[in-house]
Amino acid sequence: EMVNPKPLNAVIRYSADGAARLRAEPGLSTEVIDALDADTVITVPYPIQRVEKDDLTWVFIHAATGSGWIAEELIIYHP
């Protein structure tokens, strides 16, 4: 049993829509905190916080510029 699990390392996936929008809350109509380019390094706190909203799964992440929610389809997890 992991008493103090480490956050997961991840990067932003390339998207034809451009940079991934880091949002204050889950959902497509919420405030955008930042735009994260492809290959931006992020960390995902464990246990992963997931919320279903607007037909997407949103995950809470930490980036160098701030913390917020991003669509999980834009995250590449690294072992």
Side-chain angles (χ1 to χ4, degrees):
E1 185 179 340
M2 296 172 71
V3 176
N4 186 17
K6 293 182 172 64
L8 304 175
N9 293 313
V11 295
I12 299 298
R13 183 186 303 278
Y14 171 78
S15 167
D17 294 333
R21 292 167 189 84
L22 180 67
R23 296 184 179 273
E25 301 290 337
L28 292 172
S29 58
T30 60
E31 177 191 356
V32 176
I33 300 172
D34 198 8
L36 304 178
D37 292 324
D39 297 326
T40 299
V41 174
I42 60 173
T43 57
V44 182
Y46 193 88
I48 298 174
Q49 297 179 62
R50 286 187 175 95
V51 173
E52 303 291 328
K53 186 84 184 283
D54 295 332
D55 295 324
L56 291 167
T57 300
W58 299 85
V59 175
F60 186 78
I61 65 114
H62 297 305
T65 50
S67 301
W69 297 84
I70 205 158
E72 188 163 41
E73 63 189 25
L74 297 175
I75 298 172
I76 301 171
Y77 294 100
H78 283 304

